[in-house]
Amino acid sequence: MLIEFKVNGKSYQIDVCPSMRLIDLLRDELGLTGTKEGCGEGECGSCTVIMDEKAVNSCLVLAPQVDGKEIITVEGLAEDGQLDSLQQKFLEHSAVECGFCTPGMLMSAKALLMKNPHPTDEEIRTAIAGNLCRCAGYAKIVAAIKAAADSTDQ
Amino acid sequence: MKKEFKYVGRTFPPDHGVRKVTGDLDYCCDVKMPNMLYAKLLLSPIPHGIVKQINTSRAEKVPGVIKIFSHFNSPNKMFSTYRIIPGQQMCFEDETLFAERVKYVGDRVAAVVATSLAAAREAVSLIDIEYEELPALLTPEEALNNREVKIQPRGNVVHEYVVDVGDVPPTTEDCITMESETQTQRIHHAAIEPHGCIAYYDTAGKLTIWTPTQSVYGVRTVVAELFDMNYSDVRVIKLPIGGSFGGKQEFLFEPVTSFMAMETKRPVKLILDREECIIHTRVRPPVKTRIKTTVTKSGKLLELIADSTLDSGAYAGASPDYVATLSQKVCKLYRIPHYRHSGRAVYTNTVRSGGSRGWGAPEIITAVEIHMDQLAKKLGMDPVEFRLQNLVHPYDMDPVVQLSLGDARVIECLQKGAEAFRWKERYNSQDKQGRYRRGVGVACGAHKNGMYGGFIDSTSMVLKMNEDGSLNLNASIHDVGCGIGTVMKIIIAEVLDIDPALITVTEADTEYTGYDPGVYGSRVTYVVGACAKKVAEMLKEQILENAALILGKPKEYLRVEKGCVYTVGEAEKRVISYQEIAEKAIRENFRSLNAAYTYHSSSNPGSYSVQFAEVVVDTVTGLTSVTDFLAVSDIGRALNRGMIEGQFQGAVQMGIGYALCEEVRIDEKGRPLNNSFANYHMLTALDMPDVKVLLIEHEGDEGPFGAKSIGEISTVPTAAAVINAVNNALGTSLSDLPVTPDKILAALAEQKRVRVC
Ligand code: FES
Ligand code: FES
């Protein structure tokens, strides 16, 4: 089937098999491999992308659901080589270790800040509760998201 | 005297940090090669049986299928996935590429190679296999008691040992003895990156393997020996790794993927899915430990006798060494006049056990620390006071491995931690009534710093200064996700006083980087870091020598600062920059600036962590939440502070899971019940307490600037601290991990029953 959608501001028209998952569409068809697959069953969050301003597990979204939608992936965060403040704060706050959960974490955090620019710690923890990290124990990630929220304030 | 550092102890982002946050860094799953094929494994659905027949006719019809492999068309040479160097002891060659007799649910039966993963997957589902089922032994007890069924031809015992050191001293005091039993469980390493690798065998007969491994040289040993190839014809390249925790220490899939690449003459990529990661890689071994201690009434330990049984799963792998290490932790922690530890690793028809963060320490220390709390309770002593009487002191001798424990500061960790956690106050003011019960727990842990005393512990590297003054460290770095490359940069930067951003560090590649056995035994900071410091010091000498030639001044009158060489004594006048020196060294002095060194470790001090937990247990649901946590570390010297704190917080996440909820259970048919993240529960951001980290810094050991390991020790005492807190809250003596709501409710019911009687 033919679907039309936007990824990181760019429009695409692609003929896909209806059972194709969004994660495969991004990684295999568009070469956007920043989105990672940690479980393939909606449990780890490493495949999180933003679809129409909501964080979704791209391993659970099928191609027909993408039709007419606007997707943001981790590759769409930096603008003109300038890191997004979330990316910057993740680096400054040691919120990145192996980095495999990082794209998903960033996208969950971005979706949160898009609708709630001043989240509490609890709201941040809730927003990333579907993102597993085995390396860093979340504290640094929460601090980085908080710092990013504070920095966009100024 | 407090030393001032410019780089050491600050916080730097990990190597490739920018590429990680932009999604630009390619992990194994992201790598594509021209003509690449995809492999999919077929794993055994039964725990024990013979693969009688394989019918691939339906599978072969799937478009895109290139070849299907099983024991019928592959070599049956036995190998060990654990061997790092040729001639290594305790590597039992007990497996083949594909099993003829499957020995656990998840054993490798067959594989399909196809032009797409979808085709490979579909073809696997169409392979028909006829098994002759055999009786399965699912627990060490069954395996030890059943003499008819042999899981491996050698029998069901993989390895046994006894360690017996010291004597019970004479005492006039009254003594008590106490016994306990602790069962720790099988857990999944749960690196978020799934396992996998890529192999290519070119037309000239060279095999190249790209893999996120903990040891490229180990991969080469296993693969070259298996296929009878020259080591020089096998090139292994380390890829970025999305977490490991010991799970990528053995050479699991490189042999089979290489074989498929050799057969198809095309690059073959194998990436496991999550279920395969859980059932077909390695798990932390389940261990049962019985401990009996004798202690004086005033709280001095006289004797500790332990007996451990480790479930190895269906193959030996790391288990023979692993079980032996259980006996090498306790005397690093406590002064015990008489210590005896017997143990055995036993084959069962279950998921294979393997190296796992802490290597025996979380297993044995959990048992010991739960025991110590019960002992303190029996003596009517505060658990902190009791431990303080018995912990090791700096420069004590470890009687088991016969090495000095170095500047072991566990007592200081416990004292400072107790103060920071307000232990006395919180321990004595617990409210033990009502539905929600609050409790606090403490546990101490010990680990090591490298392999010295037991295994090779050397590393080779070259540090080069480029013509513009930037640096390249050529070393077999295996970053396992905690920023090892960055640590090397910080060390070099400190010695040369140069911006770490000007240093590039290679990752391991057998063709281009020097020998290093890999990431084991918490050796990287202590040993590899010490080598980086040494080459930086050597390079500094060369810089000064060349500056001396250029300036016509003896090098004794020169010093370095901020990437320049200054003359000593003169006003702060910059004399010559590294860039000018490097350029002139080549152009005018006909020298290049590079230092090469092979470093051997010559000590192995103890690393320590003491951890404090506060929990609240709901006595109606049995649910436990960890509400506060303090991790204290005898780190020696913090190199990359923020990353260290993060590593501790991650280690605590793993340790709390070990205590409360993580487990790969096996049902009565031998099937793993927890085979996905939907039913394998780990702590999320909402479940984690605020983990505070307190670092005790000093400089008594030979690691770089006094630094000691933290990667493994950080998780060693966590589970015991949490369980001791639960027992403190409830007045129970739970010691069967994980302490799930069911077990808690059962213990409370039992408590009630006993009270009523
Ligand atoms: S890969 Fe999608 S949630 Fe894990
Ligand atoms: S940084 Fe490794 S899983 Fe989060």
Side-chain angles (χ1 to χ4, degrees), chain B residues 348-592:
Chain B
T348 61
N349 291 113
T350 65
V351 186
R352 311 171 61 158
S353 292
S356 197
R357 190 182 206 172
W359 253 78
E363 293 86 346
I364 191 66
I365 295 293
T366 300
V368 166
E369 287 299 90
I370 291 175
H371 183 95
M372 292 301 170
D373 248 43
Q374 291 170 8
L375 200 48
K377 196 169 156 187
K378 197 162 175 180
L379 290 164
M381 291 180 75
D382 180 307
V384 168
E385 296 304 325
F386 170 64
R387 285 180 172 87
L388 284 173
Q389 282 202 53
N390 294 291
L391 288 167
V392 295
H393 289 233
Y395 303 102
D396 273 5
M397 191 72 170
D398 176 343
V400 176
V401 296
Q402 291 289 316
L403 291 173
S404 167
L405 292 173
D407 196 5
R409 300 286 188 99
V410 61
I411 290 177
E412 193 178 335
C413 287
L414 183 54
Q415 286 168 330
K416 292 202 167 137
E419 205 180 302
F421 193 73
R422 294 184 295 108
W423 169 264
K424 262 210 166 71
E425 191 185 319
R426 293 167 87 170
Y427 181 68
N428 291 320
S429 73
Q430 298 307 309
D431 180 9
K432 306 291 186 287
Q433 301 303 316
R435 173 172 174 179
Y436 297 98
R437 312 247 176 105
R438 195 173 291 271
V440 287
V442 61
C444 304
H447 198 56
K448 53 188 193 160
N449 280 275
M451 309 301 292
Y452 178 74
F455 193 63
I456 37 166
D457 210 353
S458 61
T459 192
S460 298
M461 50 178 70
V462 179
L463 180 64
K464 301 183 283 188
M465 182 165 271
N466 301 313
E467 298 86 309
D468 66 347
S470 65
L471 295 164
N472 281 74
L473 178 71
N474 179 293
S476 282
I477 299 299
H478 298 81
D479 190 352
V480 285
C482 42
I484 293 167
T486 314
V487 165
M488 300 305 140
K489 290 181 185 180
I490 293 169
I491 293 166
I492 294 165
E494 191 65 48
V495 173
L496 295 173
D497 196 355
I498 186 173
D499 181 357
L502 292 175
I503 308 168
T504 292
V505 175
T506 55
E507 284 229 70
D509 177 338
T510 53
E511 197 125 308
Y512 295 107
T513 61
Y515 189 79
D516 182 86
V519 182
Y520 307 106
S522 282
R523 63 181 289 277
V524 177
T525 296
Y526 195 75
V527 178
V528 183
C531 188
K533 182 159 180 274
K534 178 73 187 173
V535 283
E537 286 162 355
M538 290 166 68
L539 189 72
K540 183 174 164 183
E541 280 305 296
Q542 293 183 20
I543 291 169
L544 291 174
E545 275 161 21
N546 279 278
L549 277 179
I550 297 161
L551 298 169
K553 275 206 191 272
K555 79 172 194 276
E556 289 71 28
Y557 292 91
L558 302 174
R559 68 181 176 83
V560 305
E561 191 182 323
K562 281 197 195 127
C564 296
V565 172
Y566 290 82
T567 49
V568 174
E570 288 181 22
E572 288 305 303
K573 183 177 82 174
R574 176 187 153 279
V575 174
I576 185 165
S577 70
Y578 285 177
Q579 177 184 358
E580 291 168 74
I581 298 168
E583 193 196 306
K584 288 199 172 133
I586 293 172
R587 221 161 16 87
E588 295 173 9
N589 304 347
F590 309 114
R591 296 179 176 195
S592 65

Side-chain angles (χ1 to χ4, degrees), chain B residues 15 76 94-95 131 244 255 337 356 361 464 579 606 616 630 648 690:
Chain B
D15 241 8
N76 57 6
D94 58 8
E95 73 173 283
Y131 296 98
S244 179
S356 197
K464 301 183 283 188
Q579 177 184 358
V616 172
L630 171 68
F648 260 96
D690 176 24

Side-chain angles (χ1 to χ4, degrees), chain A residues 21 24 27-29 31-46 73-78 81 83-84 86-103 105-106 121-142, chain B residues 11-18 20-27 29-32 121 187-194 241-243 245 269 273-274 357 480-483 640-643 645-651 653-654 657 662 675-680 682-691:
Chain A
R21 306 175 307 165
D24 302 321
R27 290 176 52 88
D28 300 342
E29 301 294 315
L32 296 172
T33 54
T35 303
K36 305 294 183 215
E37 179 162 357
C39 71
E41 55 187 8
E43 296 289 341
C44 75
S46 63
T73 70
V74 70
E75 289 88 349
L77 283 181
L83 295 183
D84 184 271
L86 272 169
Q87 292 171 310
Q88 197 61 50
K89 296 299 170 191
F90 265 57
L91 290 177
E92 284 168 18
H93 285 258
S94 308
V96 183
E97 288 193 30
C98 79
F100 203 81
C101 72
T102 306
M105 284 287 181
L106 284 166
D121 273 21
E122 200 58 21
E123 286 168 333
I124 294 174
R125 285 183 181 268
T126 306
I128 60 166
N131 294 80
L132 294 175
C133 173
R134 191 56 147 177
C135 300
Y138 311 107
K140 300 278 175 195
I141 297 170
V142 173
Chain B
T11 293
F12 295 89
D15 241 8
H16 310 299
V18 171
K20 286 177 178 176
V21 295
T22 54
D24 171 49
L25 185 68
D26 285 337
Y27 297 81
C29 56
D30 304 324
V31 176
K32 263 194 187 155
R121 252 196 225 127
I187 74 164
H188 173 42
H189 298 84
I192 307 299
E193 175 198 32
I241 198 166
F245 317 107
K269 174 169 167 174
D273 64 23
R274 183 52 55 181
R357 190 182 206 172
V480 285
C482 42
N640 193 358
R641 199 167 298 272
M643 291 293 278
E645 290 166 357
Q647 228 181 324
F648 260 96
Q649 287 155 345
Q653 189 265 6
M654 188 177 258
E662 295 189 30
N675 55 357
S676 82
F677 279 158
N679 53 32
Y680 184 88
M682 296 194 284
L683 274 80
T684 71
L686 279 173
D687 311 317
M688 278 296 288
D690 176 24
V691 178

Side-chain angles (χ1 to χ4, degrees), chain B residues 160-461:
Chain B
E160 285 182 286
Y161 70 89
V162 179
V163 165
D164 198 330
V165 287
D167 290 302
V168 181
T171 176
T172 51
E173 263 195 84
D174 282 349
C175 297
I176 60 163
T177 58
M178 204 192 78
E179 289 187 49
S180 70
E181 182 178 291
T182 295
Q183 173 75 57
T184 59
Q185 76 282 29
R186 200 179 261 117
I187 74 164
H188 173 42
H189 298 84
I192 307 299
E193 175 198 32
H195 289 246
C197 66
I198 300 170
Y200 177 53
Y201 185 70
D202 69 25
T203 49
K206 175 143 202 163
L207 177 65
T208 306
I209 303 165
W210 294 263
T211 174
T213 179
Q214 289 180 221
S215 172
V216 291
Y217 284 97
V219 171
R220 189 177 72 172
T221 304
V222 171
V223 171
E225 296 287 337
L226 177 61
F227 300 114
D228 220 356
M229 293 175 71
N230 295 325
Y231 280 37
S232 56
D233 287 334
V234 179
R235 178 178 177 194
V236 185
I237 301 170
K238 153 87 174 51
L239 288 178
I241 198 166
S244 179
F245 317 107
K248 292 165 186 166
Q249 115 158 47
E250 284 182 51
F251 316 116
L252 309 180
F253 306 107
E254 292 88 352
V256 74
T257 311
S258 297
F259 172 66
M260 296 188 283
M262 290 161 90
E263 289 290 300
T264 56
K265 306 280 188 297
R266 285 170 68 174
V268 173
K269 174 169 167 174
L270 173 71
I271 302 286
L272 269 55
D273 64 23
R274 183 52 55 181
E275 179 178 19
E276 292 164 335
C277 288
I278 297 176
I279 71 170
H280 187 59
T281 60
R282 299 290 181 269
V283 289
R284 181 184 289 284
V287 177
K288 179 181 279 180
T289 297
R290 276 180 229 280
I291 296 175
K292 183 176 163 198
T293 46
T294 305
V295 58
T296 67
K297 283 213 159 141
S298 59
K300 267 271 174 234
L301 276 170
L302 299 179
E303 180 176 56
L304 190 151
I305 297 177
D307 181 77
S308 302
T309 300
L310 178 147
D311 183 342
S312 163
Y315 296 88
S319 292
D321 277 345
Y322 204 99
V323 73
T325 65
L326 292 172
S327 67
Q328 294 169 7
K329 311 293 177 189
V330 185
C331 292
K332 287 193 190 331
L333 190 57
Y334 289 110
R335 287 178 160 177
I336 303 167
H338 178 226
Y339 174 66
R340 180 185 159 89
H341 201 145
S342 48
R344 64 209 61 77
V346 181
Y347 287 118
T348 61
N349 291 113
T350 65
V351 186
R352 311 171 61 158
S353 292
S356 197
R357 190 182 206 172
W359 253 78
E363 293 86 346
I364 191 66
I365 295 293
T366 300
V368 166
E369 287 299 90
I370 291 175
H371 183 95
M372 292 301 170
D373 248 43
Q374 291 170 8
L375 200 48
K377 196 169 156 187
K378 197 162 175 180
L379 290 164
M381 291 180 75
D382 180 307
V384 168
E385 296 304 325
F386 170 64
R387 285 180 172 87
L388 284 173
Q389 282 202 53
N390 294 291
L391 288 167
V392 295
H393 289 233
Y395 303 102
D396 273 5
M397 191 72 170
D398 176 343
V400 176
V401 296
Q402 291 289 316
L403 291 173
S404 167
L405 292 173
D407 196 5
R409 300 286 188 99
V410 61
I411 290 177
E412 193 178 335
C413 287
L414 183 54
Q415 286 168 330
K416 292 202 167 137
E419 205 180 302
F421 193 73
R422 294 184 295 108
W423 169 264
K424 262 210 166 71
E425 191 185 319
R426 293 167 87 170
Y427 181 68
N428 291 320
S429 73
Q430 298 307 309
D431 180 9
K432 306 291 186 287
Q433 301 303 316
R435 173 172 174 179
Y436 297 98
R437 312 247 176 105
R438 195 173 291 271
V440 287
V442 61
C444 304
H447 198 56
K448 53 188 193 160
N449 280 275
M451 309 301 292
Y452 178 74
F455 193 63
I456 37 166
D457 210 353
S458 61
T459 192
S460 298
M461 50 178 70

Side-chain angles (χ1 to χ4, degrees), chain B residues 2-189:
Chain B
K2 210 168 155 37
K3 259 218 176 111
E4 293 297 325
F5 292 104
K6 277 194 172 171
Y7 308 90
V8 163
R10 282 169 50 196
T11 293
F12 295 89
D15 241 8
H16 310 299
V18 171
R19 298 189 68 198
K20 286 177 178 176
V21 295
T22 54
D24 171 49
L25 185 68
D26 285 337
Y27 297 81
C28 190
C29 56
D30 304 324
V31 176
K32 263 194 187 155
M33 292 184 189
N35 263 329
M36 191 169 84
L37 300 173
Y38 298 80
K40 178 79 185 163
L41 303 174
L42 189 159
L43 305 181
S44 170
I46 60 164
H48 200 186
I50 297 176
V51 180
K52 297 291 270 187
Q53 256 188 44
I54 296 198
N55 185 340
T56 55
S57 54
R58 290 194 302 147
E60 275 159 30
K61 294 204 181 86
V62 175
V65 168
I66 302 290
K67 198 159 178 180
I68 300 176
F69 301 96
S70 68
H71 82 85
F72 290 106
N73 61 354
S74 58
N76 57 6
K77 184 169 171 185
M78 305 284 255
F79 65 101
S80 161
T81 55
Y82 175 62
R83 170 163 286 135
I84 300 167
I85 46 166
Q88 185 181 337
Q89 302 295 302
M90 306 282 266
C91 296
F92 298 155
E93 288 163 341
D94 58 8
E95 73 173 283
T96 51
L97 288 172
F98 297 98
E100 179 176 354
R101 181 162 59 92
V102 293
K103 299 176 191 68
Y104 70 104
V105 172
D107 212 346
R108 199 166 48 239
V109 179
V112 175
V113 173
T115 50
S116 74
L117 183 57
R121 252 196 225 127
E122 192 190 339
V124 161
S125 72
L126 295 173
I127 297 176
D128 299 306
I129 301 179
E130 191 192 315
Y131 296 98
E132 179 189 320
E133 290 207 39
L134 296 170
L137 306 174
L138 301 176
T139 64
E141 289 74 23
E142 281 175 38
L144 289 170
N145 293 332
N146 190 316
R147 305 215 175 266
E148 268 91 71
V149 180
K150 280 189 174 173
I151 295 169
Q152 291 280 356
R154 319 176 38 243
N156 294 341
V157 175
V158 186
H159 179 63
E160 285 182 286
Y161 70 89
V162 179
V163 165
D164 198 330
V165 287
D167 290 302
V168 181
T171 176
T172 51
E173 263 195 84
D174 282 349
C175 297
I176 60 163
T177 58
M178 204 192 78
E179 289 187 49
S180 70
E181 182 178 291
T182 295
Q183 173 75 57
T184 59
Q185 76 282 29
R186 200 179 261 117
I187 74 164
H188 173 42
H189 298 84

